[in-house]
Amino acid sequence: MDWLERTAKLRQWSRSGTRAPHKPLLLLYALGRFQQDADGELRYSAVEEDLQRLLTEYGPPNRTTPAYPFHHLVSDGVWEVLTDRGPASPGSGVRELRATGAAGRLAPELRAALRREPSLLGRMARILLDLHFPPSLHGDLCESVGLELEPAETGQLSAAVRRRRDPRMREQVLTAYEYQCAFCGYDGRIGAVPVGLEAAHVRWWAFDGPDDVDNGLCLCSLHHKLFDKGVLGVGEGNRILVSQRFVGRSAAAREHVIALADRSLTGPQPGTRPIAAIHRSWHTSQVFHGSPRPAPAT
């Protein structure tokens, strides 16, 4: 059984690039818990809060429940659910999962494979991360689910899921924005080398976002992370969106985040394609959280 291919082909609801990372998040969480306790099980009532927090932080803007993947991941052959009544899930209802003492764990065959080949865990995790989340979130997500991955474990992707990135994109995007953050104007260098500037995908590469300039933004490290977390976005007329859900009381938070609301992007330079509306709309609907703040009072 090819566990890497099965990991890459989790059945997910999908329509026009809509994000549905419920199963990948649960499987990452289960792999993290397996790494800590290979014989443990995850009782729904005990892990519901953890799973809800993951969905809120790394899932799409619309509210959802961890009960859905807890039940439906069974159909992918990597997960099993047991209850006080015996094997088999009671369904995807929250009340039923709580009332029956439902507990989940990795499927027996997968647990055996992970014991025989410990490096398989890291390769499965890397596939889930690469196929469903941007690189800027990988470290935070591993920490959130308790995964400790070694580079040697995560470097080999199955040919079935490998997709090449265009190594020229970073240079093209940074050039288009004249080596400054499109949100704040930061343009730091060490000698001639830019430092703390990154090429961000607007529509995530994991969701068929192309390595094109009109799907890119030059952002500083801080604003890249906030953009991928849905704190920041880009609206009509290339105005900066700041989520009303973001809370920051310090002068730094006000200056570097809240004050950006409704500002115009810096760049791209004339003759360069701006962000394509289709990519901007995808980010607004699938990543940006809540409603945008109005421009700060002057």
Side-chain angles (χ1 to χ4, degrees):
M1 185 175 296
D2 190 337
W3 293 107
L4 298 183
E5 185 171 356
R6 184 165 289 195
T7 301
K9 295 182 177 179
L10 295 179
R11 299 184 186 93
Q12 294 174 272
W13 183 88
S14 179
R15 185 182 66 189
S16 303
T18 301
R19 294 179 61 216
H22 310 69
K23 288 182 178 180
L25 285 170
L26 174 56
L27 186 50
L28 281 168
Y29 184 81
L31 290 171
R33 293 294 290 267
F34 180 88
Q35 197 174 52
Q36 299 165 27
D37 179 8
D39 296 316
E41 62 180 23
L42 307 179
R43 186 167 287 265
Y44 181 79
S45 58
V47 301
E48 182 180 8
E49 186 174 338
D50 282 352
L51 296 175
Q52 186 64 65
R53 190 180 303 113
L54 285 173
L55 283 170
T56 299
E57 187 168 359
Y58 297 100
N62 54 300
R63 185 164 177 79
T64 186
T65 170
Y68 173 85
F70 203 92
H71 167 71
H72 287 287
L73 188 59
V74 172
S75 66
D76 293 280
V78 297
W79 178 252
E80 66 174 356
V81 175
L82 311 173
T83 71
D84 295 339
R85 305 167 185 166
S89 172
S92 59
V94 173
R95 290 182 181 178
E96 289 79 4
L97 288 168
R98 292 171 180 166
T100 59
R105 60 184 179 182
L106 298 175
E109 298 88 349
L110 176 54
R111 298 201 307 273
L114 291 170
R115 288 188 174 98
R116 287 194 306 271
E117 187 182 357
S119 67
L120 175 62
L121 186 148
R123 298 202 302 277
M124 289 177 63
R126 175 56 60 196
I127 287 173
L128 292 168
L129 291 168
D130 283 345
L131 289 184
H132 303 285
F133 306 96
S136 67
L137 301 185
H138 290 183
D140 290 348
L141 187 44
C142 285
E143 185 174 342
S144 294
V145 300
L147 271 172
E148 295 184 9
L149 302 181
E150 298 294 333
E153 293 179 322
T154 62
Q156 303 174 16
L157 287 187
S158 163
V161 303
R162 191 182 297 121
R163 175 181 158 218
R164 289 190 177 277
R165 295 176 182 264
D166 187 342
R168 300 169 299 176
M169 182 189 176
R170 179 180 183 275
E171 185 66 25
Q172 290 171 346
V173 170
L174 266 60
T175 298
Y177 287 85
E178 301 182 281
Y179 292 86
Q180 58 183 331
C181 176
F183 286 166
C184 69
Y186 168 82
D187 60 355
R189 295 173 180 263
I190 294 180
V193 180
V195 60
L197 286 172
E198 302 166 357
H201 282 76
V202 179
R203 182 185 180 115
W204 293 354
W205 184 86
F207 284 82
D208 299 321
D211 289 332
D212 296 335
V213 170
D214 66 1
N215 186 42
L217 278 173
C218 177
L219 297 176
C220 67
S221 300
L222 170 65
H223 290 135
H224 188 178
K225 177 65 68 68
L226 296 178
F227 186 65
D228 284 345
K229 278 289 188 88
V231 172
L232 299 174
V234 180
E236 296 289 338
N238 284 340
R239 312 292 290 187
I240 299 172
L241 306 179
V242 178
S243 173
Q244 287 185 342
R245 297 182 186 176
F246 175 80
V247 176
R249 297 182 176 85
S250 66
R254 291 195 300 271
E255 178 183 353
H256 298 300
V257 184
I258 296 172
L260 297 176
D262 205 40
R263 282 188 191 174
S264 294
L265 290 182
T266 300
Q269 60 178 289
T272 303
R273 290 174 297 166
I275 301 170
I278 190 171
H279 303 322
R280 188 183 68 228
S281 296
W282 182 89
H283 186 275
T284 301
S285 66
Q286 298 302 312
V287 181
F288 186 74
H289 281 277
S291 301
R293 287 173 173 263
T298 56

